[in-house]
Amino acid sequence: VSAWNSSMASCSQGRQWRRSLELLAEMTRCEEIPDLLSFNTAIGACKQGASWLGAWQLLLRMQGQHLEPNHASYNATMSACEKATEWACALRLFRTLHRGCAVPDVAAWSV
């Protein structure tokens, strides 16, 4: 899993967010199970590309696979929404984070 995550991180740094999503999909096809870091890395790549919808869908997919999103998951998704001027989505995520067990951190408040 770590090799996949490293490859996705490289794509994120190179602003190749679509390739990062392709790697996540390929990982599943190769019967590797994406972990929290895998999803957070792909969400971060979407944030770099201002793909708020991609980040949002990954966050939902995490929950569907019984992975609990953490602050990094929510913050990166909110940041992707903010970069794409999708403020309503960012606020909805913030409220979800605030209503859940997690208390928003400094990064969440700064979006």
Side-chain angles (χ1 to χ4, degrees):
V1 173
S2 63
W4 290 97
N5 292 345
S6 294
S7 295
M8 286 190 293
S10 294
C11 291
S12 176
Q13 292 170 355
R15 299 193 183 263
Q16 298 292 319
W17 65 271
R18 286 185 180 97
R19 181 64 183 136
S20 186
L21 296 180
E22 290 169 3
L23 286 170
L24 187 66
E26 191 175 326
M27 187 178 183
T28 304
R29 282 192 301 274
C30 291
E31 299 182 11
E32 291 284 341
I33 300 170
D35 59 8
L36 180 65
L37 182 58
S38 305
F39 278 98
N40 283 349
T41 302
I43 289 171
C46 289
K47 177 185 91 169
Q48 293 298 327
S51 175
W52 71 274
L53 187 57
W56 185 278
Q57 289 172 338
L58 287 170
L59 193 69
L60 293 176
R61 187 172 155 203
M62 284 176 73
Q63 295 166 337
Q65 293 184 0
H66 307 292
L67 283 173
E68 187 67 35
N70 61 10
H71 280 96
S73 313
Y74 281 101
N75 291 342
T77 304
M78 285 188 289
S79 184
C81 293
E82 179 261 334
K83 282 185 172 196
T85 65
E86 292 290 337
W87 292 102
C89 292
L91 289 173
R92 190 173 343 158
L93 282 170
F94 184 81
R95 284 192 297 266
T96 299
L97 179 63
H98 192 62
R99 275 195 312 257
C101 5
V103 176
D105 63 2
V106 173
W109 285 102
S110 69
V111 172

